[in-house]
Amino acid sequence: MNCKTCKNYIGDCGHHHIDIDNHTNFDIPAESATDKCGECYFYKESRDDFQVAWDYLNSLVAIRKFSFHEAESIKNRINEMYSDIKDLIGYLFSALEDEGCEPWEIEECVNIANKYEYTKEDYQNYLRTIC
């Protein structure tokens, strides 16, 4: 958790540390806004799951828990999986359209697309690759 990756980071969410000189530190949550482990109750992640994993790998490389080569291998695998997921979403949407459905009007499909940041442009690119 880092204030800079919180959806509320732009502007003052009202939950940041204020020092004795009454200066707000936007990189530290207020003690009253955190649990006993220092996790902010108001924190909302702005990154997708893949970016969180990517940043975590980079932090492990920085403290030398992983070698650069191991981290690159894991990152490449994550990218492969992400690409596979996008292809599967394209396949699902295409199959639904073949059955006469409009996937962009089905709430479950839109939720999946949003979760993986899959856009209509991604879908159009997928259709170009299979035709």
Side-chain angles (χ1 to χ4, degrees):
M1 184 190 80
N2 179 333
C3 288
K4 289 182 180 175
T5 61
C6 180
K7 286 183 181 179
N8 298 325
Y9 183 72
I10 297 173
D12 185 4
C13 68
H15 305 290
H16 293 283
H17 176 74
I18 299 174
D19 65 17
I20 57 173
D21 296 324
N22 209 26
H23 295 119
T24 303
N25 186 330
F26 292 102
D27 295 327
I28 304 171
E31 190 173 327
S32 62
T34 61
D35 61 16
K36 64 182 178 180
C37 296
E39 300 293 318
C40 181
Y41 295 121
F42 304 95
Y43 180 79
K44 293 180 184 156
E45 184 63 65
S46 63
R47 303 167 295 170
D48 62 33
D49 293 340
F50 295 101
Q51 187 62 48
V52 171
W54 194 274
D55 292 346
Y56 180 66
L57 280 173
N58 284 331
S59 72
L60 292 176
V61 169
I63 60 172
R64 304 201 187 280
K65 292 269 186 182
F66 277 118
S67 71
F68 178 77
H69 177 71
E70 291 169 320
E72 283 299 310
S73 175
I74 294 169
K75 288 177 185 179
N76 290 338
R77 184 69 183 122
I78 289 170
N79 281 333
E80 278 179 38
M81 291 187 305
Y82 189 63
S83 178
D84 291 346
I85 288 169
K86 285 190 162 193
D87 286 345
L88 287 169
I89 293 171
Y91 177 78
L92 170 67
F93 282 24
S94 178
L96 287 170
E97 282 187 346
D98 289 347
E99 293 296 318
C101 298
E102 174 52 50
W104 294 103
E105 293 176 1
I106 300 171
E107 183 179 355
E108 292 168 346
C109 291
V110 172
N111 289 343
I112 290 170
N114 289 339
K115 180 177 181 179
Y116 294 102
E117 297 180 354
Y118 192 81
T119 64
K120 290 183 179 182
E121 182 180 336
D122 291 325
Y123 183 55
Q124 293 304 318
N125 289 337
Y126 171 78
L127 292 176
R128 279 193 281 281
T129 64
I130 63 168
C131 293

Coordinates of all heavy atoms in Angstrom, one line a residue, residues 6-59:
C6 N -3.1 5.1 -4.5 CA -4.5 5.2 -4.1 C -5.3 6.0 -5.0 O -4.9 7.1 -5.5 CB -4.6 5.8 -2.7 SG -6.2 5.9 -2.0
K7 N -6.5 5.6 -5.3 CA -7.4 6.3 -6.2 C -7.7 7.7 -5.6 O -8.1 8.6 -6.4 CB -8.7 5.6 -6.4 CG -8.6 4.4 -7.3 CD -10.0 3.7 -7.5 CE -9.8 2.5 -8.4 NZ -11.0 1.8 -8.7
N8 N -7.6 7.9 -4.3 CA -7.9 9.2 -3.7 C -6.7 10.1 -3.6 O -6.7 11.1 -3.0 CB -8.4 8.9 -2.2 CG -9.7 8.1 -2.2 OD1 -10.5 8.3 -3.1 ND2 -9.9 7.3 -1.2
Y9 N -5.6 9.7 -4.2 CA -4.3 10.4 -4.0 C -4.4 11.8 -4.5 O -3.8 12.7 -4.0 CB -3.1 9.7 -4.7 CG -1.8 10.4 -4.4 CD1 -1.2 10.3 -3.2 CD2 -1.2 11.0 -5.5 CE1 0.0 11.0 -3.0 CE2 0.0 11.7 -5.2 CZ 0.6 11.6 -4.0 OH 1.8 12.2 -3.8
I10 N -5.0 12.1 -5.7 CA -5.1 13.4 -6.3 C -5.9 14.3 -5.3 O -7.1 13.9 -5.0 CB -5.7 13.4 -7.7 CG1 -4.7 12.6 -8.6 CG2 -5.9 14.8 -8.2 CD1 -5.3 12.3 -10.0
G11 N -5.4 15.3 -4.9 CA -6.1 16.2 -3.9 C -6.0 15.6 -2.5 O -5.3 14.5 -2.3
D12 N -6.5 16.2 -1.6 CA -6.4 15.7 -0.2 C -7.7 14.9 0.2 O -8.8 15.4 0.2 CB -6.3 16.9 0.8 CG -6.1 16.5 2.2 OD1 -6.0 15.3 2.5 OD2 -6.1 17.4 3.1
C13 N -7.5 13.6 0.4 CA -8.6 12.8 0.8 C -9.0 13.0 2.2 O -10.0 12.5 2.7 CB -8.3 11.3 0.6 SG -7.0 10.7 1.7
G14 N -8.2 13.8 3.0 CA -8.5 14.1 4.4 C -7.9 13.0 5.4 O -8.2 13.1 6.5
H15 N -7.2 12.1 4.9 CA -6.7 11.0 5.7 C -5.1 11.0 5.7 O -4.6 9.9 5.9 CB -7.3 9.7 5.3 CG -8.8 9.7 5.3 ND1 -9.5 9.7 6.4 CD2 -9.6 9.7 4.3 CE1 -10.8 9.8 6.1 NE2 -10.9 9.7 4.8
H16 N -4.5 12.1 5.5 CA -3.0 12.1 5.5 C -2.4 12.7 6.8 O -3.1 13.4 7.5 CB -2.5 13.0 4.3 CG -2.8 12.4 3.0 ND1 -2.1 11.3 2.4 CD2 -3.8 12.7 2.1 CE1 -2.6 11.0 1.3 NE2 -3.6 11.8 1.0
H17 N -1.2 12.3 7.0 CA -0.5 12.7 8.2 C -0.3 14.3 8.2 O 0.2 14.8 7.2 CB 0.9 12.0 8.3 CG 1.7 12.4 9.5 ND1 1.4 12.1 10.8 CD2 2.8 13.2 9.5 CE1 2.3 12.6 11.6 NE2 3.1 13.3 10.8
I18 N -0.5 14.9 9.3 CA -0.3 16.3 9.5 C 0.7 16.5 10.6 O 0.5 16.0 11.7 CB -1.6 17.1 9.8 CG1 -2.6 17.0 8.6 CG2 -1.3 18.6 10.0 CD1 -3.9 17.6 8.9
D19 N 1.9 17.1 10.3 CA 2.9 17.2 11.3 C 2.7 18.3 12.3 O 1.6 19.0 12.2 CB 4.3 17.4 10.6 CG 4.5 18.7 9.8 OD1 3.7 19.6 10.1 OD2 5.4 18.7 9.0
I20 N 3.6 18.5 13.2 CA 3.4 19.5 14.3 C 3.4 21.0 13.8 O 2.8 21.9 14.4 CB 4.4 19.4 15.4 CG1 5.8 19.6 14.8 CG2 4.3 18.1 16.1 CD1 6.9 19.6 15.9
D21 N 3.9 21.2 12.5 CA 3.9 22.5 11.9 C 2.6 22.7 11.0 O 2.5 23.6 10.3 CB 5.1 22.8 11.1 CG 6.4 22.8 11.9 OD1 6.3 23.3 13.1 OD2 7.4 22.3 11.5
N22 N 1.7 21.7 11.1 CA 0.4 21.8 10.4 C 0.6 21.6 8.9 O -0.1 22.1 8.1 CB -0.4 23.0 10.7 CG -1.9 22.8 10.5 OD1 -2.3 21.6 10.7 ND2 -2.6 23.8 10.2
H23 N 1.7 20.9 8.5 CA 2.0 20.6 7.1 C 1.5 19.2 6.8 O 1.7 18.3 7.6 CB 3.5 20.7 6.7 CG 4.0 22.0 6.9 ND1 5.1 22.3 7.8 CD2 3.7 23.2 6.3 CE1 5.3 23.6 7.7 NE2 4.6 24.1 6.8
T24 N 0.7 19.0 5.7 CA 0.2 17.7 5.3 C 1.2 17.0 4.5 O 1.8 17.5 3.5 CB -1.1 17.9 4.5 OG1 -2.0 18.6 5.3 CG2 -1.7 16.5 4.1
N25 N 1.5 15.7 4.9 CA 2.4 14.9 4.2 C 1.5 13.9 3.4 O 0.9 13.0 4.0 CB 3.3 14.1 5.1 CG 4.4 13.3 4.3 OD1 4.1 12.8 3.2 ND2 5.5 13.1 4.9
F26 N 1.4 14.1 2.1 CA 0.5 13.3 1.2 C 1.0 11.9 1.0 O 0.4 11.1 0.3 CB 0.2 14.0 -0.1 CG -0.6 15.3 0.1 CD1 0.0 16.5 0.1 CD2 -1.9 15.2 0.3 CE1 -0.7 17.7 0.3 CE2 -2.7 16.3 0.5 CZ -2.1 17.6 0.5
D27 N 2.2 11.5 1.5 CA 2.8 10.2 1.3 C 2.6 9.3 2.5 O 2.9 8.1 2.5 CB 4.2 10.3 0.9 CG 4.5 11.0 -0.4 OD1 3.6 10.8 -1.3 OD2 5.5 11.6 -0.6
I28 N 2.0 9.8 3.6 CA 1.8 9.1 4.8 C 0.4 9.2 5.3 O -0.1 10.3 5.5 CB 2.7 9.6 5.9 CG1 4.2 9.6 5.4 CG2 2.6 8.8 7.2 CD1 5.2 10.3 6.4
P29 N -0.3 8.1 5.5 CA -1.7 8.2 6.0 C -1.7 8.6 7.5 O -0.7 8.3 8.2 CB -2.2 6.7 5.8 CG -1.1 5.9 5.7 CD 0.1 6.7 5.2
A30 N -2.7 9.3 7.9 CA -2.8 9.7 9.3 C -2.9 8.4 10.2 O -3.5 7.4 9.7 CB -4.1 10.5 9.5
E31 N -2.4 8.5 11.4 CA -2.5 7.3 12.3 C -3.9 6.9 12.6 O -4.2 5.7 12.7 CB -1.7 7.6 13.6 CG -1.5 6.4 14.4 CD -0.7 6.7 15.6 OE1 0.3 7.5 15.5 OE2 -0.9 6.1 16.7
S32 N -4.8 7.9 12.6 CA -6.2 7.6 12.9 C -6.9 6.9 11.8 O -8.0 6.3 11.9 CB -7.0 8.9 13.2 OG -6.9 9.8 12.1
A33 N -6.3 6.9 10.6 CA -6.9 6.3 9.4 C -6.3 4.9 9.1 O -6.7 4.3 8.1 CB -6.6 7.2 8.2
T34 N -5.5 4.4 10.0 CA -4.9 3.1 9.8 C -5.2 2.1 10.9 O -5.5 2.5 12.0 CB -3.3 3.3 9.7 OG1 -2.8 3.8 10.9 CG2 -2.9 4.2 8.6
D35 N -5.0 0.9 10.5 CA -5.2 -0.2 11.5 C -3.8 -0.4 12.3 O -2.9 0.4 12.0 CB -5.6 -1.5 10.9 CG -4.7 -2.0 9.9 OD1 -3.5 -1.6 9.8 OD2 -5.1 -2.9 9.1
K36 N -3.7 -1.3 13.1 CA -2.5 -1.5 13.9 C -1.3 -1.9 13.1 O -0.2 -1.7 13.6 CB -2.7 -2.5 15.1 CG -3.0 -3.9 14.6 CD -3.2 -4.8 15.8 CE -3.6 -6.3 15.3 NZ -3.8 -7.2 16.4
C37 N -1.5 -2.4 11.9 CA -0.4 -2.7 11.0 C 0.0 -1.5 10.1 O 0.9 -1.6 9.3 CB -0.8 -3.9 10.1 SG -1.0 -5.4 11.1
G38 N -0.7 -0.4 10.2 CA -0.4 0.8 9.4 C -1.1 0.8 8.0 O -0.8 1.6 7.2
E39 N -2.1 -0.1 7.8 CA -2.8 -0.2 6.5 C -4.0 0.8 6.6 O -4.8 0.8 7.6 CB -3.4 -1.6 6.3 CG -2.3 -2.6 6.1 CD -1.4 -2.5 4.9 OE1 -2.0 -2.1 3.8 OE2 -0.2 -2.6 5.0
C40 N -4.1 1.7 5.6 CA -5.1 2.8 5.6 C -6.5 2.2 5.3 O -6.7 1.4 4.4 CB -4.8 3.8 4.6 SG -6.0 5.2 4.5
Y41 N -7.5 2.5 6.2 CA -8.8 2.0 6.0 C -9.5 2.6 4.7 O -10.4 2.0 4.1 CB -9.7 2.4 7.2 CG -9.4 1.8 8.5 CD1 -9.0 2.6 9.6 CD2 -9.3 0.4 8.7 CE1 -8.7 2.1 10.8 CE2 -9.0 -0.1 9.9 CZ -8.7 0.7 10.9 OH -8.3 0.1 12.1
F42 N -9.0 3.7 4.2 CA -9.6 4.4 3.1 C -8.9 4.2 1.8 O -9.3 4.8 0.8 CB -9.7 5.9 3.4 CG -10.4 6.2 4.7 CD1 -9.7 6.4 5.9 CD2 -11.8 6.3 4.7 CE1 -10.3 6.7 7.1 CE2 -12.4 6.6 5.9 CZ -11.7 6.7 7.1
Y43 N -7.9 3.4 1.8 CA -7.1 3.1 0.6 C -7.9 2.4 -0.4 O -8.5 1.4 -0.2 CB -5.8 2.3 1.0 CG -4.9 2.0 -0.2 CD1 -4.0 2.9 -0.6 CD2 -5.0 0.7 -0.8 CE1 -3.2 2.6 -1.7 CE2 -4.1 0.4 -1.8 CZ -3.3 1.4 -2.3 OH -2.5 1.1 -3.4
K44 N -7.8 2.9 -1.7 CA -8.4 2.2 -2.8 C -7.4 2.1 -3.9 O -6.9 3.1 -4.4 CB -9.6 3.1 -3.3 CG -10.8 3.1 -2.4 CD -11.9 4.0 -2.9 CE -13.0 4.1 -1.9 NZ -13.8 5.3 -2.1
E45 N -7.1 0.9 -4.3 CA -6.0 0.6 -5.3 C -6.4 1.2 -6.6 O -7.5 1.0 -7.1 CB -5.8 -0.9 -5.4 CG -4.7 -1.3 -6.3 CD -3.3 -0.8 -5.8 OE1 -2.9 -1.3 -4.7 OE2 -2.7 0.0 -6.5
S46 N -5.5 1.9 -7.2 CA -5.7 2.4 -8.6 C -5.1 1.6 -9.7 O -5.4 1.7 -10.8 CB -5.1 3.9 -8.7 OG -3.7 3.8 -8.5
R47 N -4.2 0.6 -9.3 CA -3.6 -0.2 -10.3 C -4.4 -1.5 -10.4 O -5.0 -2.0 -9.5 CB -2.2 -0.6 -9.8 CG -1.3 0.6 -9.5 CD 0.0 0.3 -8.8 NE -0.4 -0.2 -7.5 CZ 0.5 -0.8 -6.6 NH1 1.7 -1.0 -7.0 NH2 0.1 -1.2 -5.5
D48 N -4.3 -2.1 -11.6 CA -4.9 -3.4 -11.8 C -4.0 -4.5 -11.2 O -2.9 -4.2 -10.8 CB -5.2 -3.7 -13.3 CG -3.9 -3.8 -14.2 OD1 -2.9 -4.2 -13.7 OD2 -4.0 -3.4 -15.3
D49 N -4.5 -5.7 -11.1 CA -3.8 -6.8 -10.4 C -2.5 -7.1 -11.0 O -1.5 -7.4 -10.3 CB -4.7 -8.1 -10.4 CG -5.9 -8.0 -9.6 OD1 -6.0 -7.1 -8.7 OD2 -6.8 -8.7 -9.8
F50 N -2.4 -7.0 -12.3 CA -1.1 -7.2 -13.0 C -0.1 -6.2 -12.7 O 1.1 -6.5 -12.5 CB -1.3 -7.3 -14.5 CG -2.2 -8.5 -14.9 CD1 -3.5 -8.3 -15.2 CD2 -1.7 -9.8 -14.9 CE1 -4.3 -9.4 -15.5 CE2 -2.5 -10.9 -15.2 CZ -3.8 -10.7 -15.5
Q51 N -0.5 -4.9 -12.6 CA 0.5 -3.9 -12.3 C 0.9 -4.0 -10.8 O 2.1 -3.8 -10.5 CB -0.2 -2.5 -12.5 CG 0.8 -1.3 -12.3 CD 2.0 -1.4 -13.3 OE1 1.8 -1.6 -14.5 NE2 3.2 -1.3 -12.8
V52 N 0.0 -4.4 -9.9 CA 0.4 -4.7 -8.5 C 1.5 -5.8 -8.5 O 2.5 -5.6 -7.8 CB -0.8 -5.0 -7.7 CG1 -0.4 -5.5 -6.3 CG2 -1.8 -3.8 -7.5
A53 N 1.2 -6.9 -9.2 CA 2.2 -8.0 -9.2 C 3.5 -7.5 -9.8 O 4.6 -7.8 -9.3 CB 1.6 -9.1 -10.0
W54 N 3.5 -6.7 -10.9 CA 4.7 -6.2 -11.5 C 5.5 -5.3 -10.6 O 6.7 -5.5 -10.4 CB 4.2 -5.4 -12.7 CG 5.3 -5.1 -13.7 CD1 6.1 -4.0 -13.7 CD2 5.6 -5.8 -14.9 NE1 6.9 -4.0 -14.8 CE2 6.6 -5.1 -15.5 CE3 5.1 -6.9 -15.5 CZ2 7.2 -5.5 -16.8 CZ3 5.6 -7.4 -16.7 CH2 6.6 -6.7 -17.3
D55 N 4.8 -4.4 -9.9 CA 5.5 -3.6 -8.9 C 6.1 -4.4 -7.8 O 7.2 -4.1 -7.3 CB 4.5 -2.5 -8.4 CG 4.1 -1.5 -9.4 OD1 4.8 -1.4 -10.5 OD2 3.1 -0.8 -9.2
Y56 N 5.3 -5.4 -7.3 CA 5.9 -6.3 -6.2 C 7.1 -7.0 -6.7 O 8.1 -7.0 -5.9 CB 4.8 -7.3 -5.8 CG 5.2 -8.2 -4.7 CD1 5.5 -7.7 -3.4 CD2 5.4 -9.5 -4.9 CE1 5.9 -8.5 -2.4 CE2 5.8 -10.4 -3.9 CZ 6.0 -9.9 -2.6 OH 6.5 -10.7 -1.6
L57 N 7.1 -7.5 -7.9 CA 8.4 -8.1 -8.4 C 9.5 -7.2 -8.5 O 10.6 -7.5 -8.1 CB 8.1 -8.7 -9.8 CG 7.4 -10.0 -9.9 CD1 7.0 -10.4 -11.3 CD2 8.2 -11.1 -9.2
N58 N 9.2 -6.0 -8.9 CA 10.3 -4.9 -9.0 C 10.8 -4.6 -7.6 O 12.0 -4.4 -7.4 CB 9.8 -3.7 -9.6 CG 9.7 -3.8 -11.1 OD1 10.5 -4.6 -11.7 ND2 8.8 -3.1 -11.8
S59 N 9.9 -4.6 -6.6 CA 10.4 -4.4 -5.2 C 11.3 -5.5 -4.7 O 12.2 -5.3 -4.0 CB 9.2 -4.1 -4.3 OG 8.5 -5.3 -4.0

